[in-house]
Amino acid sequence: MTRQIALLRGINVGGHNSFPKAKQRELAESLGFEDVSVLLQTGNIVFADPGTPPQETARVLHERIAADLGLTVPVVVRTRDELAAVVAANPFPRAVPEPKSLHVTFLSAVPADTSRLDALDLDAFAPDQYRLVGRELYLWCPDGIGRSKLAAAVSRAPLGVTATARNWNTVTKLLDLADA
């Protein structure tokens, strides 16, 4: 069995897209996933799967959430090994002691067009920084993401793929759950 992590975008945020943890677990189990854990209320499901490709798992979860709950919820899935590679590839290791300052945006695919990201003048946003590494966009905001002008600029740069972000604390906890 392969461990997979489903990242649902926009679940239980600001009173929208209500999808309680218990229902997330039930839905995953009804799809045949085993050893299901849900981290937080915001759509982080860790489970064992017999080897379904992550993109197929994402499609099935998206369709099932729409059918059962009437919600349009983008889903990105990574295997345990892919998530471990995300943690290992962190381009901002000095951010690790302050895990709320580091965020990873998980993308459904490598973006074909990054011109709007590439056009950002990073000096104008210092000390905030970002790095796009394959299907992950790492964003380091030492003074907090809520005040970050770079975070706002990056979120406005369309990449043409499904994206959902997690802070570093959540990323590492998800890896710990996948390893449990």
Side-chain angles (χ1 to χ4, degrees), residues 29-171:
E29 289 172 345
S30 76
L31 289 169
F33 303 142
E34 297 178 10
D35 191 23
V36 177
S37 297
V38 178
L39 178 67
L40 305 172
Q41 290 283 346
T42 54
N44 305 291
I45 308 170
V46 179
F47 52 89
D49 175 83
T52 307
Q55 286 186 319
E56 177 66 11
T57 301
R59 183 191 64 75
V60 168
L61 279 166
H62 172 78
E63 289 176 358
R64 186 67 178 274
I65 292 167
D68 288 7
L69 302 169
L71 302 174
T72 302
V73 175
V75 179
V76 175
V77 175
R78 294 291 188 266
T79 66
R80 179 263 169 223
D81 291 347
E82 289 170 333
L83 188 61
V86 168
V87 170
N90 173 15
F92 304 113
R94 64 182 172 227
V96 171
E98 294 294 330
K100 290 183 178 182
S101 70
L102 180 59
H103 292 75
V104 179
T105 300
F106 294 88
L107 309 174
S108 59
V110 174
D113 180 10
T114 61
S115 59
R116 290 208 182 158
L117 274 180
D118 298 337
L120 294 174
D121 176 9
L122 291 181
D123 291 337
F125 298 104
D128 297 355
Q129 299 177 43
Y130 85 87
R131 296 286 182 285
L132 180 62
V133 180
R135 296 181 300 159
E136 278 72 40
L137 189 144
Y138 297 81
L139 179 63
W140 181 38
C141 305
D143 297 328
I145 195 154
R147 293 183 221 130
S148 173
K149 291 183 176 164
L150 179 60
V154 165
S155 71
R156 288 190 306 267
L159 297 174
V161 296
T162 299
T164 186
R166 301 295 186 274
N167 72 32
W168 194 249
N169 205 27
T170 300
V171 171

Side-chain angles (χ1 to χ4, degrees), residues 9-19 41-42:
R9 188 176 80 199
I11 293 297
N12 299 323
V13 177
H16 299 287
N17 288 343
S18 179
F19 190 9
Q41 290 283 346
T42 54

